[in-house]
Amino acid sequence: MNGGQPLRCRPFPIVAFEIRLSRLSPRFSALSRLFAATALVAVLAGTALPARAEAPVSPWPQAASDLQAESGIRFGTLANGMRFAVMRNATPSGQAAIRFRIGSGSLEEDDTQQGLAHFLEHMAFKGSTHVPEGEMVRILQRKGLAFGPDTNAHTSYDETVYALDLPEVDADTVSTGLMLMRETASELKLDAGAFDRERGVILSEERLRDTPQYRGMIGLINVLLAGQRVPSRPPIGKTDIISNAPVDLVRDYYRANYRPDRATLIVVGDVDPDAIETEIRRRFEDWKPAGPARPEPDLGKLKQQGLGADIVTVPGASTRIQIAWTRPYDGSPDTFAKRRAEMVEDLGLSVLKRRVSAMARRANAPFISAEVASQDLYDSARIALVAADSEPDKWQAALAAIDQEQRRIAQFGVEQSELDREILEYRSLLQAAAGGAATRTSTDIANTLAQSVDDDKVFTSPADDLALFERMVKGLTADEVNQALHNTVFSGNGPRLVLQTAQAPQGGADAVAKAYAASQAVPVTAPAKTMAAVWPYTHFGDAGTVVERRDVGDLGLTLVRFANGVRLNVKPTKLRANEVLVRVDIGHGRLDLPKDRPLPTWTAQGVELSGVKAIDYEDMQKALAANVASIDFSLDDGSFKFEGRTRPEDLATQLQIFTAYGSDPAYRPEVFARLQQAYLNNLDQYSATPGAVVSRDFLGLVHAGDPRWTFPDRDQLLAAKPADFEALFHDPITKGAIEVTIAGDVTADAVIGLVAQTFGALPPRADDAPTTDSAQFPIPTAQPVLRSHTGRLDNAAAVMAVPIGDMLSDLPRAFSADLAGQIFQNRLIDQFRIAEGATYSPQGDVSLSKSIPGYGYAYAYVETTPAKVDRFYALVDKIAADLAANDVSADELARAKEPMIETVKHQQEGNEYWLRNLRGVQTDARRLDLIRQNLTGYEKVTAQDVRAIAATYFKPEKFWRLEVLPGGATAIR
């Protein structure tokens, strides 16, 4: 179970910020992550996985357990101690996933090596005995692997994992993948010149990771694990060591820690296990350790601490108050009894989590959001945590609220009805997982297998997980859960109060302690009895009549139109057993909105959180606890979109939920107020780093300041009213034309019948054109548009974008532009990252709209030092000029084309692909053409096509530029 995400060497996409506060059917369980609240989700995306001091030559955990590993996985150990696991899995067909784990990370570094475990991971791509420097990525690109999505690695406290997702499983591709893992094991050259060139990349990554969220997480770890090894060994390391360490130090680390008795190789895919095992043995049995094993690092002992308070001051961070209890880490084997004890704890905490989440939804709530969790933290302690995000000057009220609710459950316990609800909901999720086990993807299985190795857990099957759960909860009473909460969870060290804030309050930690003492003086009473809830939206009128139905045989589609104008697109598949994806598009999205004034588009999440008129969001969760259903609402360029994931037996309920939202939505003012405060609370974070500024402003800027795409400033947030929220969404959602798309384990006839009873039963709706004109790309900039960030002085960002046009009006142009953009990005990586070491992760993409006629662009983006910004723009101009003047080589074209083709093939074997691409096919036949040509379109692109795109569009005089610098630069220069 992970406390966060590792340091992954992969691109960071430009995305808009979003505050995710809740979800229908939220689930906290033994499988969920610690600190999943809004603020810390972002933190953990930039920190590292938990640490384990793992003994060499460890047997597979099932050898010491009464739990059975999933059958069908071949577990083995070579004579040299290297473990391997191989599993045949045909989803997706013709593909495989390789994970090579070294059980060593930053904890194994000595004081002079801090950061070199991660540095070594980078060097694995920099040449080895049989692979020249710079060739590894190119070899993989020729095989159809994209750098980042398919070729990846991460380093954490206790492990380094290399990942390859193979698009083909022919003997040569599989052999190449295993060869590269064998090269990584002991054959890395670790050339001094390559090492020096990579320093700038590592330092760029360190700057990118240094966010307020990351600093807050590190501060919390420092408090809870004070005096232990983990706080002194963050995987990113120390910048002075990264800048100055001689290459011999990383060689020393390599020889000492990359050993077969620390290694595990995992291969999952459409392969022959016998052949794979033979290949593994042939390649890896001769791997010998370079020297004797080192002693395992001493992680230190958990410091005995009673009640205490600490302040973690992080400029730019949001305000978060946390109450934590710690107890020693239990490193005993993974057994049924141990899992059951954890499950009993987790079920009790699930009730507490649901209670505090319900508090956050009330009018005048004492906090914005709250989180409850319990988990092993870096194998150094087990933590129980109750946390709340609040307004900066209201942390005392938030502290009192979570303290008193924690004491309430500790004193009066959970009700049996509350426990039964958590069991019911968790059972339904396990049932869904078991039902879909036969079509789990190879990448998911490989990732989970690798995680089980890190956790030293038995890899149990979904069917066994369900059976184990039923054994665990059989006869489970609220009394047993309450004893676990009282005697175990809220015991041990603590409670420790940790206030994360941008500015320490007057009185510092004493003020926190006093606020806690004041809350403790308030007696708590028994909770109010929970009331059952019933889902009221089961009938919407007489079933609708189908007036048009046609089959698209070559794509396996059924397209339907009902008498009330509702359109339905159905794609029955067997791609994922027991999975059904549903998408509902209403109206024309942003194109339906006015563009002459600021808009509260940021309130979009409030649509789902408000529930519907006859039942609010909290009661929806109660009423639908036994169902597997979900809600995700978003405001898209071309529609107001609902999406959900369900199973065949719950499809009727999923459709009822969406029909209720589309016909009888509520816009509750308390939800608006919560969202408004969440955005205000996090506003400073959006200016704390260059990447945050780009994520905040990019979409608005590339739409020429159009308010439909613009992120709100503080004045706009404060000026917005609940009535604005309802006015923005009510009419478009309740009056707009409806299109339903369903893909998954269904039959067309069954889906048509269910949609007829739901959306098909609604009153007719007109299908009007968008009420406003299209979007505009900004005019070219002779000098970059300037923005500033409030973070480090050595950090900056630069963006170049250029208009190209939409996707559908010229499909050959679109495919050529996409490939040209990929080649542009590859060259930027080769030159700005690899050759010059000026950035961690250059990005480039082509975004051509399918909703806005004539609109689309290509962009390139880097985070670097301020001194390198001008060099980026010069390099962009140089690459553009060369692409326009000269044909790319056949090899360069293939290295861009093959990963794109393989990516499309992979996507087509998932229901998400069909859900995404079927929208609008009944009203625009070009969308069907796009699906049909998605592979052949790329295959047909020539070097001359790429050159023509560059000559037409990649002209410096057409470029729009954005520059984000430290300090107060705000004007266009």
Side-chain angles (χ1 to χ4, degrees):
M1 293 176 288
N2 287 337
Q5 294 297 322
L7 293 173
R8 295 189 182 278
C9 294
R10 65 189 304 174
F12 272 41
I14 295 177
V15 294
F17 276 95
E18 186 176 20
I19 307 292
R20 304 307 299 177
L21 295 174
S22 186
R23 272 280 178 266
L24 183 68
S25 300
R27 181 69 247 165
F28 174 77
S29 70
L31 301 178
S32 63
R33 292 178 174 174
L34 180 63
F35 311 140
T38 302
L40 282 180
V41 166
V43 175
L44 296 170
T47 187
L49 288 170
R52 288 195 65 258
E54 179 180 33
V57 202
S58 298
W60 287 100
Q62 55 263 33
S65 175
D66 56 358
L67 302 171
Q68 297 295 313
E70 179 169 351
S71 62
I73 303 176
R74 182 173 301 185
F75 296 94
T77 306
L78 302 182
N80 59 13
M82 189 189 92
R83 296 186 295 184
F84 65 87
V86 181
M87 180 181 184
R88 176 179 174 81
N89 184 68
T91 305
S93 62
Q95 299 180 36
I98 298 176
R99 301 293 181 266
F100 184 49
R101 178 186 185 271
I102 301 294
S104 177
S106 59
L107 287 174
E108 280 71 28
E109 299 166 343
D110 65 31
D111 290 343
T112 67
Q113 295 173 328
Q114 294 180 65
L116 297 190
H118 174 235
F119 208 139
L120 176 57
E121 173 217 312
H122 280 238
M123 294 303 295
F125 296 83
K126 297 295 180 181
S128 60
T129 301
H130 302 101
V131 180
E133 181 182 354
E135 274 301 302
M136 179 180 175
V137 172
R138 291 175 180 175
I139 288 170
L140 293 169
Q141 286 174 335
R142 294 177 190 119
K143 296 292 183 183
L145 283 78
F147 182 61
D150 304 319
T151 307
N152 215 327
H154 73 251
T155 301
S156 67
Y157 285 91
D158 73 327
E159 69 173 359
T160 304
V161 179
Y162 299 90
L164 297 177
D165 292 336
L166 305 181
E168 304 288 345
V169 290
D170 59 278
D172 184 61
T173 299
V174 174
S175 182
T176 297
L178 293 176
M179 177 273 291
L180 292 172
M181 297 297 97
R182 179 63 183 86
E183 292 288 291
T184 299
S186 68
E187 302 303 307
L188 300 183
K189 284 188 175 181
L190 302 179
D191 175 75
F195 185 70
D196 287 337
R197 287 190 292 275
E198 195 68 14
R199 294 183 198 270
V201 176
I202 305 290
L203 292 169
S204 176
E205 183 174 357
E206 186 273 334
R207 293 191 300 270
L208 183 146
R209 305 286 182 183
D210 190 14
T211 64
Q213 297 96 325
Y214 174 80
R215 293 183 185 185
M217 181 62 188
I218 292 298
L220 180 62
I221 291 172
N222 290 344
V223 170
L224 299 183
L225 302 184
Q228 295 180 266
R229 187 174 180 84
V230 167
S232 69
R233 288 295 186 275
I236 197 63
K238 293 185 174 180
T239 57
D240 59 338
I241 292 177
I242 296 167
S243 300
N244 301 301
V247 71
D248 283 343
L249 284 179
V250 80
R251 291 170 179 163
D252 290 344
Y253 181 92
Y254 183 46
R255 287 190 292 264
N257 294 290
Y258 277 49
R259 304 168 48 87
D261 50 20
R262 286 188 177 275
T264 305
L265 182 65
I266 295 166
V267 182
V268 181
D270 199 358
V271 296
D272 176 4
D274 290 333
I276 294 297
E277 180 177 350
T278 299
E279 182 81 353
I280 290 172
R281 292 186 178 278
R282 181 179 72 84
R283 288 193 177 277
F284 288 88
E285 280 186 329
D286 66 347
W287 179 17
K288 306 297 182 186
R294 289 185 177 181
E296 293 302 310
D298 181 2
L299 299 184
K301 292 184 178 180
L302 181 64
K303 183 178 178 180
Q304 295 297 312
Q305 300 182 87
L307 172 63
D310 296 89
I311 303 287
V312 176
T313 304
V314 183
S318 58
T319 300
R320 184 172 175 84
I321 184 67
Q322 298 152 110
I323 311 175
W325 295 260
T326 60
R327 63 186 194 265
Y329 167 69
D330 179 5
S332 63
D334 181 25
T335 63
F336 174 81
K338 186 177 181 181
R339 287 196 186 186
R340 186 181 185 277
E342 292 177 351
M343 177 60 72
V344 170
E345 293 181 18
D346 291 343
L347 287 169
L349 289 174
S350 295
V351 174
L352 178 57
K353 178 182 179 180
R354 202 176 293 275
R355 288 184 184 179
V356 296
S357 296
M359 290 176 66
R361 298 189 195 103
R362 297 171 190 162
N364 302 312
F367 45 75
I368 298 168
S369 62
E371 184 59 33
V372 178
S374 176
Q375 188 173 346
D376 294 330
L377 187 61
Y378 308 138
D379 286 14
S380 299
R382 187 163 182 85
I383 311 296
L385 180 103
V386 184
D389 297 299
S390 74
E391 299 176 46
D393 60 346
K394 295 183 179 179
W395 61 265
Q396 297 95 332
L399 172 59
I402 60 175
D403 162 55
Q404 291 165 28
E405 204 59 38
Q406 179 271 324
R407 285 193 287 125
R408 193 186 322 278
I409 202 168
Q411 182 174 340
F412 297 101
V414 305
E415 296 179 12
Q416 188 66 41
S417 61
E418 292 177 298
L419 175 61
D420 290 343
R421 173 185 173 185
E422 302 303 329
I423 292 173
L424 182 64
E425 185 175 299
Y426 195 31
R427 177 184 288 119
S428 67
L429 295 179
L430 289 174
Q431 289 172 338
T439 52
R440 291 169 292 170
T441 66
S442 295
T443 53
D444 286 346
I445 296 172
N447 288 336
T448 310
L449 256 173
Q451 186 61 60
S452 73
V453 175
D454 185 49
D455 293 337
D456 203 21
K457 301 289 187 184
V458 180
F459 188 85
T460 47
S461 71
D464 283 347
D465 289 339
L466 177 59
L468 289 170
F469 177 77
E470 296 296 0
R471 286 177 58 197
M472 290 175 185
V473 300
K474 185 177 181 180
L476 180 64
T477 65
D479 285 343
E480 184 180 354
V481 173
N482 294 333
Q483 288 177 16
L485 290 176
H486 187 271
N487 298 331
T488 306
V489 178
F490 302 127
S491 64
N493 292 336
R496 201 76 196 171
L497 315 172
V498 184
L499 174 64
Q500 174 189 294
T501 178
Q503 184 174 357
Q506 186 175 4
D510 287 343
V512 179
K514 289 179 180 178
Y516 183 71
S519 175
Q520 289 272 300
V522 177
V524 294
T525 58
K529 294 292 183 181
T530 58
M531 303 297 292
V534 177
W535 175 242
Y537 292 91
T538 59
H539 183 70
F540 298 89
D542 295 337
T545 302
V546 174
V547 295
E548 182 181 0
R549 172 174 175 165
R550 64 188 177 99
D551 295 325
V552 183
D554 62 322
L555 297 178
L557 308 177
T558 297
L559 308 181
V560 173
R561 184 168 57 86
F562 290 90
N564 64 351
V566 170
R567 291 184 171 88
L568 169 65
N569 313 312
V570 185
K571 171 65 177 179
T573 80
K574 295 298 181 182
L575 299 171
R576 304 287 184 272
N578 213 38
E579 176 185 86
V580 185
L581 302 186
V582 181
R583 170 171 173 164
V584 179
D585 292 280
I586 303 178
H588 304 97
R590 285 187 174 87
L591 296 181
D592 273 340
L593 304 180
K595 56 180 294 186
D596 59 349
R597 59 185 181 274
L599 301 170
T601 55
W602 48 271
T603 61
Q605 190 189 352
V607 173
E608 64 188 83
L609 294 177
S610 289
V612 286
K613 289 182 179 178
I615 186 170
D616 65 17
Y617 194 81
E618 183 179 352
D619 282 344
M620 284 175 63
Q621 293 178 326
K622 294 179 187 178
L624 301 174
N627 301 98
V628 175
S630 61
I631 304 171
D632 184 41
F633 176 79
S634 61
L635 171 59
D636 281 8
D637 289 356
S639 72
F640 299 85
K641 182 180 70 177
F642 293 92
E643 284 189 308
R645 183 184 302 267
T646 185
R647 54 183 175 174
E649 58 263 45
D650 288 325
L651 178 57
T653 300
Q654 182 73 74
L655 287 168
Q656 290 168 4
I657 293 169
F658 285 162
T659 306
Y661 270 96
S663 61
D664 202 28
Y667 299 91
R668 291 183 164 86
E670 62 271 21
V671 172
F672 167 85
R674 184 182 175 206
L675 279 170
Q676 182 183 48
Q677 192 55 56
Y679 271 89
L680 287 167
N681 215 40
N682 288 278
L683 205 56
D684 289 345
Q685 295 186 44
Y686 305 146
S687 61
T689 66
V693 172
V694 173
S695 293
R696 181 192 68 194
D697 292 350
F698 182 73
L699 286 179
L701 290 170
V702 295
H703 288 85
D706 192 317
R708 295 173 293 181
W709 284 271
T710 300
F711 195 90
D713 60 27
R714 188 174 300 275
D715 289 342
Q716 291 167 349
L717 287 168
L718 291 170
K721 306 299 180 189
D724 302 329
F725 167 42
E726 181 169 359
L728 188 70
F729 291 107
H730 183 269
D731 283 1
I733 288 175
T734 58
K735 298 178 181 179
I738 297 171
E739 179 184 43
V740 182
T741 302
I742 297 177
D745 193 0
V746 295
T747 64
D749 288 341
V751 168
I752 292 169
L754 292 175
V755 175
Q757 295 169 23
T758 50
F759 284 103
L762 296 178
R765 297 192 182 189
D767 188 6
D768 298 325
T771 57
T772 64
D773 58 357
S774 184
Q776 301 296 319
F777 191 83
I779 61 173
T781 51
Q783 295 295 327
V785 173
L786 291 186
R787 289 291 186 271
S788 66
H789 68 88
T790 59
R792 293 167 47 161
L793 297 179
D794 60 350
N795 211 4
V799 183
M800 179 281 295
V802 64
I804 290 180
D806 64 73
M807 169 71 76
L808 298 174
S809 63
D810 189 339
L811 290 179
R813 180 200 63 195
F815 290 118
S816 298
D818 211 6
L819 268 173
Q822 185 60 58
I823 291 169
F824 202 114
Q825 181 185 6
N826 289 349
R827 289 194 180 185
L828 198 58
I829 291 172
D830 288 344
Q831 296 178 50
F832 204 55
R833 172 178 168 147
I834 296 174
E836 301 182 22
T839 187
Y840 164 56
S841 184
Q843 299 170 52
D845 202 1
V846 175
S847 178
L848 307 182
S849 178
K850 291 188 284 186
S851 301
I852 307 173
Y855 186 83
Y857 55 88
Y859 74 85
Y861 165 63
V862 298
E863 290 190 41
T864 187
T865 62
K868 293 286 187 179
V869 168
D870 288 341
R871 171 59 183 154
F872 163 75
Y873 290 126
L875 187 56
V876 164
D877 289 351
K878 180 181 178 182
I879 294 172
D882 186 71
L883 288 175
N886 302 291
D887 288 342
V888 299
S889 68
D891 179 65
E892 186 175 21
L893 181 63
R895 288 190 292 108
K897 182 183 294 188
E898 291 307 314
M900 283 192 165
I901 292 172
E902 295 299 340
T903 296
V904 173
K905 288 180 181 178
H906 178 77
Q907 290 174 344
Q908 288 179 339
E909 295 211 27
N911 291 318
E912 293 85 353
Y913 172 88
W914 298 100
L915 206 71
R916 183 173 64 250
N917 284 284
L918 288 178
R919 177 186 170 264
V921 295
Q922 294 192 47
T923 55
D924 191 342
R926 298 176 302 174
R927 293 176 181 261
L928 290 174
D929 293 337
L930 175 60
I931 297 172
R932 293 186 176 105
Q933 297 178 34
N934 242 350
L935 290 175
T936 59
Y938 288 121
E939 292 168 348
K940 293 177 181 179
V941 176
T942 66
Q944 292 73 35
D945 295 329
V946 171
R947 183 177 178 182
I949 289 290
T952 303
Y953 301 105
F954 294 173
K955 295 181 177 181
E957 63 269 21
K958 293 185 176 182
F959 290 171
W960 173 89
R961 298 172 176 88
L962 169 66
E963 190 172 310
V964 184
L965 299 174
T970 57
I972 297 177
R973 71 176 190 183

